[in-house]
Amino acid sequence: MREILFKIQGVIKGLRYTRTGKIYELVVGPFSPDKKEAFLKKVIAEPSNDIAEVDLVLTKIQSANEKRLNINTRLSFQQMKLEDPFRVNIKVDINNRDLQTSMEPREIDSIWNTANSMIESHLENLSFQW
């Protein structure tokens, strides 16, 4: 992917990359409706079985390898009918927080490798024990 990005940069004059990252997307479940209250207790203060949709977004700033990174996590679920099973969608976007004038291939690789090394522990910290 890095090679493709820099080939495109060679074609489009003046194109500079200021931010890079990786997005990890997972869908877990299905969970039966009777598990919903236990899940909701982990993410909101007053859970209710009447809740059919949840969208939670949080961004954590963390330093790694002498860089400041955004770790944006989106947690969501949606039920069309309250009696339906549900799945939990988790999307994690890890990218450099400090924009640069132009990132070199080595810097892009560094951010991508750092994201790969961080994702597992980040997901473990999100784990829900029902």
Side-chain angles (χ1 to χ4, degrees), residues 23 51 59 74:
I23 298 173
I51 295 173
T59 300
R74 297 176 180 271

Side-chain angles (χ1 to χ4, degrees), residues 1-127:
M1 185 66 201
R2 177 178 54 91
E3 290 174 19
I4 293 169
L5 292 175
F6 285 95
K7 283 182 183 177
I8 293 170
Q9 193 177 42
V11 173
I12 303 173
K13 300 300 177 207
L15 180 65
R16 298 291 174 252
Y17 299 115
T18 60
R19 172 173 276 162
T20 189
K22 285 196 171 186
I23 298 173
Y24 304 85
E25 192 162 1
L26 305 102
V27 178
V28 295
F31 301 104
S32 64
D34 64 324
K35 301 284 186 192
K36 184 168 64 171
E37 186 175 352
F39 166 74
L40 290 174
K41 282 182 182 180
K42 302 285 185 176
V43 295
I44 60 176
E46 294 192 33
S48 167
N49 282 329
D50 296 351
I51 295 173
E53 188 171 339
V54 169
D55 289 301
L56 174 67
V57 179
L58 59 105
T59 300
K60 179 179 176 183
I61 300 170
Q62 187 169 335
S63 293
N65 297 335
E66 300 180 20
K67 302 233 185 266
R68 289 185 335 142
L69 303 174
N70 285 326
I71 304 175
N72 178 276
T73 305
R74 297 176 180 271
L75 181 75
S76 63
F77 89 87
Q78 181 179 33
Q79 285 178 294
M80 296 308 287
K81 298 178 190 169
L82 294 175
E83 62 273 6
D84 288 348
F86 67 97
R87 289 174 172 76
V88 177
N89 303 307
I90 304 165
K91 186 175 183 179
V92 180
D93 180 356
I94 302 174
N95 59 66
N96 57 302
R97 178 147 184 96
D98 299 320
L99 300 182
Q100 299 180 20
T101 30
S102 182
M103 296 184 79
E104 299 298 321
R106 179 181 72 259
E107 294 170 304
I108 290 174
D109 283 340
S110 175
I111 299 294
W112 290 354
N113 291 332
T114 301
N116 286 338
S117 70
M118 297 175 78
I119 187 63
E120 186 175 346
S121 65
H122 181 69
L123 292 173
E124 285 175 358
N125 289 334
L126 292 178
S127 69

